[in-house]
Amino acid sequence: MTVTSAGMPATGTAPSATGSAPAMPVSFQRRVIRTGLLGAVIALYLCMVGIVPIFNARPLVQGVISLGQAALFLSLFATGFVATRRVAESSSRLIADGAIAGGLSGVALSALVLVGSMVDVRAFMPNASPVLYGILTFNLGTVGFWIPMALGAVLGGLAGAVGLASPRLRRSLFVGLISLFALGLFAGLIRTPMLALPVDELARLLFASDGLTLIGAVVVLVLSVGLHHLQRTRRLDRQFAALPPSQRRRIQIPLIALAAVFVLVLPQGLGSFFAQVIAIVALYVMMGLGLNITLGLAGLLDLGFVAFFAVGAYTVGLLTSTAEFGIAQWPFWAAVPVAVIVAMVFGAFLGLPILSIRGDYLAIATMGFGEIIRILAGSDLMKPLLGGPRGIINIPKPIEVPPDSLLAGPNQIYYIALIGAALIAFVAWRLRASRLGRAWIAIREDEDVAEAIGINLIQTKILAYMLGAAFAGLGGAVFAALVGSIFASSIQLMVSINVASLIIVGGMGSIPGVIVGAIFLIGLPELFREFSEYRFLFYGIALIAMMQLRPEGLLPSRIVRREFQHGGGDEPPESSTSPLAL
Amino acid sequence: MNPTPILEVDDIHVYYGNIHALKGVSLTINKGEIVTLIGANGAGKTTTLNAISGLVPSREGQVRLRGETISGVASHLIVGRGIVQVPEGRRMFARLTVEENLRMGGYTLTRAADVQAGIDRAFEMFPRLKERRTQVAGTLSGGEQQMLAIGRALMAGPEVLLLDEPSMGLAPVLVDFVFDTISRLHAEGTTILLVEQNARMALQIADRGYVIETGMIVLSDLAANLRENDTVRKAYLGIV
Ligand SMILES: Nc1ncnc2c1ncn2[C@@H]1O[C@H](COP(=O)(O)OP(=O)(O)OP(=O)(O)O)[C@@H](O)[C@H]1O
Ligand SMILES: [Mg+2]
């Protein structure tokens, strides 16, 4: 309702603007208006679903702009930017077009403020509240209804002007904005460790208790834009690749050592919440690397991945718990190998009946398997064994330490999870380069040819399921120790979907891709717990955006990248002659 | 001179569900020979090759390699025993490069040196593949793909090479090239079972030939005799 009523006046102005323009730019004009209206819908949506009010609680630059406002401004700016993109016109036209598009979006918001002050729509639009209007008008209320309109026009015009800048400068500005957002969002995370170090004065200068200070924002913007713009055109990674191997190693080793030290001290500086977030990311990295074998390398879809996670977690629970359902009270370290082996047995158990199933049907069959395990875990049948919804509690920490030690609480799991993930990444990397890895790739690429060149399909596929399951089982084992308990409610279809999504976002078949995917899809939402309501909204947007903009994933493997880059054209000769470095 | 049979197909029957695709096919291939199997579309040529290399099971009959029965042996083990098939329609690992495809062909080899030697040999045989070493196989031309398919099959060091319509869809020059390649392999001592629609060319380079019709061998003779045979001339050489 609100959308249309707000959109009406905008539509009304459209014909006149179009009519006055000469014949040629008509389509440009129409595009500007269409983009402006689309921007209006998006801006209204951001307001009405409550994103703006909720994000408003978090300052981006303290005392100046909140995250909610920034999101809104960004949408206005983006509207202007999109409206003037790909149009080669005079500079004044660009700015005018941007201002029209951005202004149109702003008009919608102004209309919202006006309509909202007259009619109370909160009964069915709970977010259309005076709080929202306050945000939109910088607390001026109805009198300030013109503010969004003006702001939209200014921001849109600005965006049009940015379109005039050289691509390089534009990219620098973009990097600057991203840096501003990133640092503003993670200000707390950066400030805390800095305060503990001799740089506490600097921390206080740049970062507020939440978000950046005004000085900090200016510094970040100037530094990031400046550095990016001044950066030499020849990229560092190219220069690095051109170095001889011995020199390359001389740079690599200290870098790796530095990263290792950083990773080791991280939880000490950041506190246990952050350590726990990283531990969860590491858990998903383990599972992701597991599914990366089954799906990424062998091409076998598995949407029931949570089953192996459950098997690992429950095995550790049963073997180590000191409470009701514990059967052995083993130490964690003794239980882990058993958990991995049991998970592998389940992997084989899943693999056998579905060996000859291909393609889409695999998705259904494996999802069914995952659901069977999930429902069994919470069922009355298994209740005497697994505790049903009450679960298994009192799973001891892997290493018993006094509460004030460096290894207390989540920190310990942080280290264990990271070591586990690193170990698994190493194994996955070696596996991929192995003969077995080649067999997996062969059956992914063409099962029939793989058979014809002498690959044992049954063995290869079963091994793919088993090793994928082993990695997920290890993830589950660490999860049990992290939480200290395991409940049927922890076993959710969503876990399988998360793992599959992070592989897709990261880049199918690529190990760094799994890590990046886990950070994006698991780590970021964990850090923004307060916005958890919108988690799946962002998830969906991220996946759709990914498929549109970068279907090969963030860090794709070479084969996948090839497919997307050279859809039928010739592959330019690659410099590498490495043995099947896929 | 008494020829030694290396591959014997003895009265095999293959069914696809209820379809009786091979109704008792028997073939003998001697060491070092080129034997061609000709027949119309759907006669059962590919099925015969698949039955030999274990890709489809035969319900009755036997396949023997050097006197040892290999029916019932899993297909991946048959490759290791020395029978390699070049599948119909030049199936590549389309997203892998030429070199990676070759490497895959050497999957059954356990020593890295053997794999490298095989690749070098393939590049020596097909210099064109060497030029296109890092090109993605799916983007090769039809002729290049056929070279790659043969090169990939040779990686496993087969004693018997099963070729399924290698000249299909190629320009005449390339057909000549493929047949030259087959002659070369023959000269180097590889035993070849060649399935062809191009009966004229096949009968020119083969030692012996079999004619298959609706799952049964209807004729078998020296290639030279088949070239003169009236039925063959009419049905497969298009000479009235
Ligand atoms: N997988 C299958 N399932 C069912 N029927 C099949 C299958 N493969 C082959 N057939 C049937 O078996 C018969 C022999 O097929 P085959 O592929 O061996 O013929 P072909 O001689 O190789 O023909 P072409 O020259 O066209 O390649 C055909 O009637 C075919 O339809
Ligand atoms: Mg055929």
Side-chain angles (χ1 to χ4, degrees):
Chain A
M1 263 328 279
T2 329
V3 173
T4 25
S5 70
M8 273 339 244
T11 325
T13 61
S16 62
T18 319
S20 64
M24 221 297 273
V26 162
S27 61
F28 294 155
Q29 280 294 348
R30 206 175 277 161
R31 222 182 66 144
V32 167
I33 302 217
R34 216 187 308 134
T35 314
L37 290 178
L38 186 65
V41 172
I42 291 173
L44 284 172
Y45 181 78
L46 287 176
C47 293
M48 301 317 271
V49 298
I51 290 178
V52 170
I54 288 196
F55 281 25
N56 206 49
R58 209 193 244 219
L60 186 64
V61 180
Q62 200 159 48
V64 179
I65 180 173
S66 76
L67 194 56
Q69 284 168 320
L72 208 53
F73 292 176
L74 206 62
S75 88
L76 295 175
F77 186 83
T79 306
F81 189 73
V82 172
T84 54
R85 205 180 41 159
R86 275 183 283 152
V87 183
E89 267 187 289
S90 69
S91 49
S92 52
R93 262 311 280 280
L94 272 183
I95 295 175
D97 282 353
I100 292 173
L104 270 182
S105 304
V107 164
L109 295 175
S110 292
L112 175 65
V113 174
L114 277 181
V115 172
S117 63
M118 287 181 279
V119 211
D120 191 356
V121 290
R122 260 180 291 178
F124 54 98
M125 286 281 187
N127 286 308
S129 66
V131 177
L132 177 66
Y133 306 147
I135 298 168
L136 292 177
T137 59
F138 291 87
N139 294 326
L140 283 180
T142 321
V143 223
F145 80 93
W146 52 273
I147 289 182
M149 220 157 34
L151 207 62
V154 170
L155 284 169
L158 213 58
V162 165
L164 290 174
S166 72
R168 184 140 160 251
L169 181 61
R170 225 166 16 201
R171 222 171 300 136
S172 298
L173 287 173
F174 185 66
V175 167
L177 272 184
I178 298 260
S179 313
L180 188 67
F181 262 85
L183 286 171
L185 282 176
F186 299 116
L189 285 176
I190 304 167
R191 194 173 106 120
T192 319
M194 276 175 85
L195 285 179
L197 297 170
V199 288
D200 58 327
E201 282 306 317
L202 183 65
R204 258 179 224 130
L205 184 68
L206 297 181
F207 299 109
S209 59
D210 223 351
L212 291 158
T213 59
L214 189 54
I215 299 176
V218 173
V219 169
V220 165
L221 209 55
V222 169
L223 268 187
S224 54
V225 173
L227 282 180
H228 184 266
H229 198 61
L230 293 178
Q231 191 194 29
R232 289 184 46 201
T233 31
R234 202 162 154 224
R235 286 179 48 195
L236 273 178
D237 53 345
R238 299 250 174 79
Q239 281 175 307
F240 179 73
L243 289 177
S246 62
Q247 279 193 37
R248 237 188 288 176
R249 217 163 300 134
R250 214 174 301 153
I251 300 178
Q252 263 169 344
I253 291 174
L255 274 183
I256 291 173
L258 203 68
V261 171
F262 178 71
V263 161
L264 283 181
V265 300
L266 204 54
Q268 310 300 342
L270 287 179
S272 59
F273 169 69
F274 194 61
Q276 179 156 350
V277 170
I278 297 193
I280 291 172
V281 170
L283 279 180
Y284 271 94
V285 168
M286 291 188 216
M287 288 198 279
L289 289 172
L291 188 59
N292 197 38
I293 286 184
T294 326
L295 175 60
L297 287 190
L300 304 165
L301 191 53
D302 185 352
L303 289 183
F305 216 60
V306 68
F308 308 125
F309 173 83
V311 168
Y314 270 106
T315 309
V316 164
L318 285 173
L319 291 178
T320 63
S321 167
T322 54
E324 199 181 341
F325 298 99
I327 51 172
Q329 287 162 29
W330 284 7
F332 174 76
W333 303 104
V336 165
V338 180
V340 170
I341 290 168
V342 176
M344 286 174 87
V345 171
F346 272 78
F349 188 68
L350 163 72
L352 274 174
I354 59 177
L355 269 179
S356 55
I357 304 179
R358 292 190 193 187
D360 309 350
Y361 303 102
L362 255 184
I364 307 293
T366 52
M367 197 194 270
F369 178 78
E371 286 297 278
I372 289 173
I373 299 285
R374 179 180 75 82
I375 290 166
L376 263 184
S379 69
D380 286 342
L381 178 72
M382 300 300 280
K383 205 169 169 185
L385 266 178
L386 303 178
R390 274 172 47 228
I392 301 176
I393 54 169
N394 280 359
I395 297 172
K397 288 273 171 278
I399 307 167
E400 288 301 336
V401 287
D404 56 346
S405 101
L406 286 182
L407 285 179
N411 285 1
Q412 181 184 130
I413 303 297
Y414 165 89
Y415 291 120
I416 291 175
L418 272 188
I419 292 169
L423 189 82
I424 282 183
F426 179 76
V427 173
W429 174 62
R430 294 304 305 160
L431 272 175
R432 199 172 61 164
S434 71
R435 202 155 169 266
L436 182 57
R438 275 200 282 153
W440 282 330
I441 290 168
I443 62 171
R444 178 187 71 194
E445 298 295 315
D446 191 327
E447 218 175 293
D448 299 321
V449 180
E451 194 176 11
I453 61 173
I455 288 168
N456 185 344
L457 291 187
I458 297 178
Q459 194 188 31
T460 310
K461 283 186 173 184
I462 294 283
L463 278 175
Y465 282 114
M466 285 176 72
L467 284 164
F471 289 6
L474 185 58
V478 177
F479 174 81
L482 169 72
V483 182
S485 53
I486 173 76
F487 306 105
S489 59
S490 311
I491 315 304
Q492 287 171 356
L493 178 64
M494 208 46 223
V495 175
S496 302
I497 294 175
N498 276 336
V499 178
S501 312
L502 76 87
I503 290 189
I504 293 168
V505 167
M508 202 75 97
S510 142
I511 293 174
V514 168
I515 297 166
V516 170
I519 291 173
F520 264 78
L521 284 188
I522 311 298
L524 288 186
E526 287 289 332
L527 284 179
F528 301 129
R529 270 270 159 89
E530 61 230 88
F531 315 138
S532 57
E533 258 184 83
Y534 303 104
R535 187 174 180 150
F536 294 117
L537 178 65
F538 286 124
Y539 229 84
I541 293 174
L543 282 176
I544 293 172
M546 243 1 248
M547 291 304 109
Q548 287 289 329
L549 303 173
R550 233 182 125 79
E552 72 271 35
L554 292 171
L555 284 179
S557 73
R558 211 190 294 165
I559 298 180
V560 175
R561 194 166 39 205
R562 260 182 223 153
E563 181 183 28
F564 282 99
Q565 282 178 352
H566 311 284
D570 275 15
E571 165 93 333
E574 281 171 32
S575 55
S576 147
T577 54
S578 62
L580 207 75
L582 301 168
Chain B
M1 195 183 83
N2 208 4
T4 40
I6 183 165
L7 182 68
E8 295 161 276
V9 177
D10 188 3
D11 191 33
I12 53 169
H13 291 255
V14 171
Y15 291 80
Y16 293 112
N18 291 328
I19 303 169
H20 196 173
L22 293 190
K23 304 162 186 158
V25 167
S26 299
L27 310 165
T28 307
I29 296 152
N30 296 318
K31 196 164 168 49
E33 265 186 332
I34 300 186
V35 172
T36 181
L37 178 64
I38 54 183
N41 288 118
K45 305 181 295 293
T46 301
T47 305
T48 307
L49 295 191
N50 285 346
I52 294 173
S53 48
L55 294 172
V56 301
S58 42
R59 198 177 286 184
E60 275 173 58
Q62 262 198 344
V63 179
R64 284 188 297 275
L65 180 68
R66 287 179 237 100
E68 251 176 85
T69 174
I70 56 166
S71 358
V73 174
S75 59
H76 65 273
L77 296 176
I78 290 180
V79 174
R81 294 212 187 172
I83 301 182
V84 179
Q85 181 174 356
V86 179
E88 188 172 11
R90 317 183 266 271
R91 291 198 29 197
M92 303 286 91
F93 291 116
R95 297 198 299 175
L96 304 191
T97 64
V98 167
E99 186 167 348
E100 286 162 356
N101 264 279
L102 291 175
R103 227 167 255 288
M104 283 290 189
Y107 179 76
T108 50
L109 305 177
T110 43
R111 293 200 356 225
D114 292 344
V115 176
Q116 198 49 54
I119 291 178
D120 292 344
R121 202 175 98 94
F123 283 160
E124 185 240 318
M125 184 165 233
F126 305 109
R128 236 190 130 94
L129 291 185
K130 188 171 187 178
E131 288 164 26
R132 308 191 160 260
R133 213 182 51 184
T134 57
Q135 187 174 328
V136 175
T139 64
L140 292 175
S141 76
E144 290 158 352
Q145 288 192 7
Q146 189 60 59
M147 292 176 208
L148 183 53
I150 295 176
R152 189 179 63 197
L154 291 177
M155 286 294 297
E159 242 179 296
V160 181
L161 191 62
L162 311 179
L163 289 165
D164 198 348
E165 304 200 26
S167 73
M168 186 166 69
L170 297 186
V173 202
L174 283 171
V175 173
D176 288 345
F177 177 79
V178 165
F179 279 94
D180 284 348
T181 306
I182 296 170
S183 306
R184 239 166 92 198
L185 291 172
H186 176 230
E188 288 170 19
T190 312
T191 308
I192 292 166
L193 175 55
L194 171 66
V195 161
E196 259 305 331
Q197 298 258 6
N198 189 336
R200 184 190 308 276
M201 294 288 278
L203 288 173
Q204 259 165 37
I205 65 162
D207 299 306
R208 293 185 301 112
Y210 290 86
V211 178
I212 185 169
E213 267 171 27
T214 59
M216 281 180 292
I217 300 290
V218 292
L219 258 177
S220 80
D221 207 334
L222 292 177
N225 296 345
L226 287 178
R227 281 201 297 266
E228 304 305 323
N229 182 296
D230 274 346
T231 333
V232 173
R233 284 168 74 96
K234 246 189 240 153
Y236 302 105
L237 299 178
I239 300 165
V240 192

